[in-house]
Amino acid sequence: MGPVLQDARISAAVSTVMVKVNLDVAMDFADRQRRPRWPFVLGVIGGLGLAFLGVAGGAARTTADATAQAAQLRAHRNFGAAIALYTQIAGRNSAIFVLDRGDVSAAPREAQSTMLQWAAALAAAGHVDQAVALAGSVTDRKLLPSAQMERATLLIAAARQAAAGGDFAGALLRLNELEKLDSTSPVASQAAALLPQYDAGEANLLAAQGRGSDAVTLLDQAADLGASARPVVDAALPAALLAAGREQINDQSYIEAAATLQRLVSSYPSSAQADAARRLLGQREPVAGTLTDKTGSPISGAVRLSSNFQSLPGGYVTSGPFYYSAADGNGDFRFNAIPVGGPYVLEVFHNGNWTTLIDPSTGRPANPVNVTAMNPVDLNFIVLPS
């Protein structure tokens, strides 16, 4: 065993030591790989949580500040800006606002509540239509009854104000809006009581303007509202009927005028308007026509209306009162004012005598003239024998 053998043993020992060292290093690395990491992860999560809470806390403070600012704007009647800010707060739905959900959740209702306050302020300033429209934009179920009542209150207040100023048409418009909105509320009941009064007020204005037919139509509609409306309608109808009759006379609607005036006389006989209607119904009416011969050529000459006719053997006799006129070169004649009644007999002064056409089948005048109220008589063409 010389030096060579000793060196070999030394090398083997060294190799053994190196293997052991490498094995220990590998085992230490494996141990470190198996060691748990949760303390580190928890530390990271905790840090993030603290950071989030800091951000959320800041967001909560800004939401609270914004809510306070919106309330201040509303208190100073800056309603539009307050509503805009409440709407912005209501949109804060991201996770960073988790710490202040109360203000965020309440913001939509606060915005709509502010709308109602704004509507009341607009109405007080005379902007009723804008106020009603704004109150109508409320959709929150808990605020809807208040919004409905606000709109109804605004409309009936506007109706009363319009009527007080003599604008009954505007007042009726407001009441109609209210009826469409709600026909069952206490405010609607007030409107129903006011409606006949405003109808009568508008009818009086229409009658004074010469629009009697429109006035009568309006009052007839009001009468359909029930027995409670009857006294108001009865007070206004006589003037309306008289105005309507005169309007129809001016329009030459004589049949309608006679019916209207007769309704006035029959329904309200003791009224002053009925006396005027009787005078109109009893006034004289014109009678007109044209005389021609069988060829259609005009005949001129004197004409008259006789009040009485009596057949006699071989002829007839007429008696007065007589009403006289004359046919011109075109054969046209006109009696301007003949009393209501008849039949009158048309006579023509022809060939030196007063003559009339006799119906051979009856022995009576062929052209009887009956004059009725509000009805001018047009006899058209009277063809005389040659």
Side-chain angles (χ1 to χ4, degrees):
M1 309 222 0
V4 175
L5 179 59
Q6 187 175 3
D7 289 342
R9 290 177 177 175
I10 292 172
S11 297
V14 170
S15 298
T16 302
V17 170
M18 291 298 295
V19 169
K20 183 178 180 180
V21 169
N22 290 335
L23 182 59
D24 290 342
V25 171
M27 291 179 65
D28 181 63
F29 178 78
D31 288 342
R32 283 189 284 115
Q33 287 294 97
R34 290 194 297 268
R35 190 175 298 162
R37 296 182 178 182
W38 59 266
F40 172 76
V41 174
L42 287 178
V44 172
I45 293 174
L48 291 175
L50 290 174
F52 176 79
L53 289 175
V55 173
R61 286 191 295 274
T62 62
T63 299
D65 290 343
T67 301
Q69 183 182 0
Q72 187 175 17
L73 288 169
R74 181 167 63 179
H76 287 84
R77 302 173 68 83
N78 193 347
F79 301 110
I83 291 170
L85 191 51
Y86 278 128
T87 302
Q88 189 269 336
I89 294 169
R92 297 184 176 188
N93 294 318
S94 62
I96 63 172
F97 297 104
V98 69
L99 295 183
D100 196 14
R101 297 311 303 166
D103 285 341
V104 174
S105 300
R109 182 171 299 164
E110 292 297 333
Q112 297 199 20
S113 177
T114 305
M115 287 182 187
L116 288 178
Q117 288 183 260
W118 195 2
L122 286 170
H127 306 297
V128 176
D129 290 321
Q130 296 177 31
V132 171
L134 191 60
S137 66
V138 172
T139 57
D140 188 282
R141 287 186 298 175
K142 292 187 176 181
L143 293 176
L144 277 177
S146 297
Q148 189 102 332
M149 180 59 69
E150 180 69 18
R151 292 171 71 190
T153 302
L154 290 175
L155 287 170
I156 198 164
R160 292 181 186 277
Q161 183 176 5
D167 181 13
F168 291 102
L172 290 171
L173 179 63
R174 297 302 186 190
L175 293 186
N176 287 335
E177 289 181 68
L178 176 54
E179 183 180 8
K180 292 177 183 178
L181 173 67
D182 181 11
S183 60
T184 60
S185 70
V187 177
S189 299
Q190 297 177 42
L194 292 173
L195 186 56
Q197 300 176 35
Y198 294 171
D199 280 334
E202 178 63 8
N204 289 334
L205 291 177
L206 291 172
Q209 296 167 5
R211 297 171 56 190
S213 296
D214 290 339
V216 171
T217 298
L218 187 61
L219 290 170
D220 284 343
Q221 291 173 351
D224 292 336
L225 296 175
S228 61
R230 196 72 243 181
V232 176
V233 171
D234 286 339
L237 255 178
L241 288 168
L242 181 59
R246 286 171 170 164
E247 179 186 10
Q248 290 159 346
I249 291 171
N250 291 336
D251 292 340
Q252 298 184 356
S253 300
Y254 300 110
I255 296 175
E256 292 83 353
T260 298
L261 295 172
Q262 190 57 55
R263 176 186 173 186
L264 170 56
V265 170
S266 300
S267 300
Y268 306 97
S270 60
S271 66
Q273 291 84 2
D275 290 338
R278 291 186 189 95
R279 289 192 293 272
L280 288 171
L281 289 170
Q283 72 181 8
R284 301 183 175 199
E285 298 295 335
V287 176
T290 302
L291 298 180
T292 69
D293 61 19
K294 290 182 178 180
T295 67
S297 299
I299 296 176
S300 59
V303 293
R304 74 180 184 186
L305 288 175
S306 302
S307 299
N308 298 284
F309 176 89
Q310 183 179 2
S311 296
L312 297 174
Y316 63 88
V317 64
T318 59
S319 60
F322 295 104
Y323 303 93
Y324 293 88
S325 184
D328 61 18
N330 295 318
D332 296 330
F333 63 88
R334 177 183 175 87
F335 299 91
N336 288 323
I338 303 301
V340 171
Y344 295 97
V345 178
L346 177 66
E347 295 184 283
V348 180
F349 195 76
H350 186 60
N351 295 329
N353 292 298
W354 288 104
T355 62
T356 188
L357 295 175
I358 300 298
D359 184 343
S361 64
T362 63
R364 304 291 297 176
N367 303 108
V369 178
N370 291 289
V371 179
T372 57
M374 306 288 110
N375 190 19
V377 179
D378 187 353
L379 298 175
N380 295 314
F381 292 96
I382 307 297
V383 181
L384 299 180
S386 300

